[in-house]
Amino acid sequence: MLRVLTLSSLFPDASRPNFGVFVERQTLGLAAYPGVELKLVAPVGLPPWPLSRLGRYAALAALPRHEGWKGVETWRPRFANLPGTGGRFHASMLAARLRPLLRAIRREFAFDVIDASFFFPDGVAAVELGRAFGVPVSIKARGADIHHWGRAPGTADQVLEAGRRAEGLLAVAGSMRDDMVVLGMDGAKIRVHRTGVDLDRFAPRDRAAAKAALGVSGPLVASVGALIPRKGHDIVIDAVAALPGVRLMIAGEGPERPKLVGQIARLGVGDRVTLLGSVAHGELPGLLAAADVMALASSSEGLANAWVEALASGAPVVIPDAGGARELVTAPEHGRIVARNAAAFAEAIAALIAAPPPVDAVRAGAAGFTWEANTAALYAHLSELVRA
């Protein structure tokens, strides 16, 4: 029996059902794997009182501290998230908060390994906890944890040191592994661990019928991602504005909404560009199956799940050369990798709409990204760490 303690601050809860859904899916897959017993610690970072009781933090503060989440015993301890510190104290605060909790958990559940699903602060704290409890630690790098926290002045040294001390490392793409090596981590210790996609749920449908369900009749571009600068939604809006008759639907929410609303109004494309807000993950298959193209102009990524889900749904992608883009778009039918500007996006979108690739050929690009493969690889990786 492999006893796994999964540590993830990037995990859904009752107030944020879309938050970290891919970490959730990976965790549930491992928990259901034969020969595995898994417990989950999903810490919640909160600022000091009274900020912790205001705005979006109020719902987080009200979460249960211990619950069964989709069949997995789950703890949600709070740890101090100090504003204005650049994150430099997040990991130490987390480790200090978790040490007594893990000691209590270990009395009933003698975990063999700590599986940290995000590099910061989870991975940094996990290394300290692994040393304290005498168990190996695995840390998975997904994107911003390396591209932001791995380079930020207050946290870069912590991320690098954790990468050097952890017994095992995972990366969502080969490009992410390369980025970790550039930071100073040992490439021989890093295993590429690809995301998964539910090929039954994300699958081609009758595109005209799927569009009709959304109230769309002409060409449709979909985009999926938080409304934050890094995702580049403004670039895709500018691109679609230059393509008469093309609709754009953006699934996601975030602080850039007011700016994007103003851009849409200024361009006079309110009848063609729709900000859908936060869309439940279970509703995304219909949107992606309706789309002629999925376009996302991210400045950085690991290997975006939205890319894989689009291909599985039969929608070719238009994306910049970011993260694992070249590991996914390996044939012309899968879409286009273009410069990160509106003109390049508009040209590629127009070309794919004018000459759509065969749906089956698009979907073939997602064939290697299954949750079954994801789970089996994670089990093998953690088992090797424990045996070693």
Side-chain angles (χ1 to χ4, degrees):
M1 178 67 69
L2 178 65
R3 297 175 178 86
V4 180
L5 184 80
T6 293
L7 173 60
S8 179
S9 61
L10 186 69
F11 206 87
D13 56 59
S15 71
R16 302 174 297 178
N18 283 355
F19 184 66
V21 291
F22 306 105
V23 177
E24 176 192 57
R25 181 62 184 80
Q26 175 177 296
T27 302
L28 296 179
L30 184 62
Y33 199 73
V36 172
E37 187 177 359
L38 184 147
K39 308 288 184 184
L40 170 67
V41 176
V44 178
L46 294 173
W49 187 91
L51 292 177
S52 61
R53 296 299 186 270
L54 301 176
R56 62 189 177 92
Y57 296 115
L60 296 177
L63 292 172
R65 295 177 182 269
H66 185 217
E67 65 177 327
W69 182 265
K70 300 187 179 181
V72 174
E73 187 172 14
T74 301
W75 288 264
R76 298 188 188 275
R78 280 51 161 172
F79 70 100
N81 216 330
L82 302 178
T85 63
R88 68 182 67 247
F89 303 117
H90 289 6
S92 60
M93 293 282 191
L94 177 58
R97 177 65 186 86
L98 292 185
R99 197 169 283 109
L101 173 61
L102 266 59
R103 191 176 300 120
I105 291 173
R106 196 162 171 79
R107 293 190 191 108
E108 304 294 330
F109 178 64
F111 50 88
D112 302 309
V113 61
I114 298 176
D115 171 32
S117 66
F118 201 63
F119 230 100
F120 189 85
D122 310 13
V124 177
V127 168
E128 297 302 322
L129 296 165
R131 295 296 184 273
F133 292 100
V135 298
V137 170
S138 171
I139 310 174
K140 185 165 185 176
R142 294 179 176 273
D145 48 354
I146 293 297
H147 297 146
H148 175 71
W149 298 112
R151 296 185 175 98
T155 58
D157 289 345
Q158 297 178 46
V159 168
L160 176 56
E161 184 65 13
R164 288 173 169 171
R165 294 174 63 195
E167 284 73 19
L169 299 174
L170 296 172
V172 294
S175 60
M176 178 64 67
R177 178 180 56 195
D178 294 343
D179 290 344
M180 295 161 73
V181 171
V182 168
L183 291 182
M185 298 182 198
D186 180 3
K189 194 165 63 173
I190 305 170
R191 179 175 185 164
V192 174
H193 184 229
R194 301 197 187 282
T195 189
V197 61
D198 188 332
L199 293 173
D200 293 325
R201 291 179 59 238
F202 289 91
R205 306 179 185 182
D206 182 300
R207 187 166 284 163
K211 286 182 180 181
L214 298 173
V216 176
S217 58
L220 174 63
V221 176
S223 191
V224 180
L227 305 187
I228 55 177
R230 178 169 62 87
K231 294 295 183 179
H233 291 302
D234 56 326
I235 294 172
V236 178
I237 291 172
D238 279 342
V240 170
L243 300 172
V246 176
R247 291 284 304 274
L248 169 63
M249 290 185 166
I250 300 174
E253 193 52 85
E256 285 281 286
R257 171 176 278 272
K259 177 182 174 182
L260 297 178
V261 168
Q263 178 185 5
I264 292 166
R266 185 176 68 255
L267 294 172
V269 292
D271 59 333
R272 296 198 288 120
V273 178
T274 304
L275 301 179
L276 298 172
S278 182
V279 174
H281 191 249
E283 297 177 11
L284 287 178
L287 173 64
L288 292 174
D292 298 281
V293 176
M294 200 291 286
L296 187 62
S298 304
S299 59
S300 67
E301 288 284 358
L303 196 152
N305 299 86
W307 299 348
V308 186
E309 290 173 343
L311 294 189
S313 303
V317 299
V318 176
I319 54 180
D321 191 3
R326 293 185 180 273
E327 297 167 56
L328 183 70
V329 182
T330 57
E333 293 82 4
H334 303 158
R336 303 287 187 273
I337 296 174
V338 300
R340 192 173 181 260
N341 62 65
F345 265 75
E347 182 179 358
I349 291 169
L352 288 168
I353 290 173
V359 169
D360 289 346
V362 176
R363 180 172 166 81
F369 295 81
T370 67
W371 283 118
E372 291 77 13
N374 176 280
T375 299
L378 181 58
Y379 175 80
H381 169 73
L382 296 178
S383 296
E384 289 170 10
L385 297 185
V386 172
R387 284 195 298 270

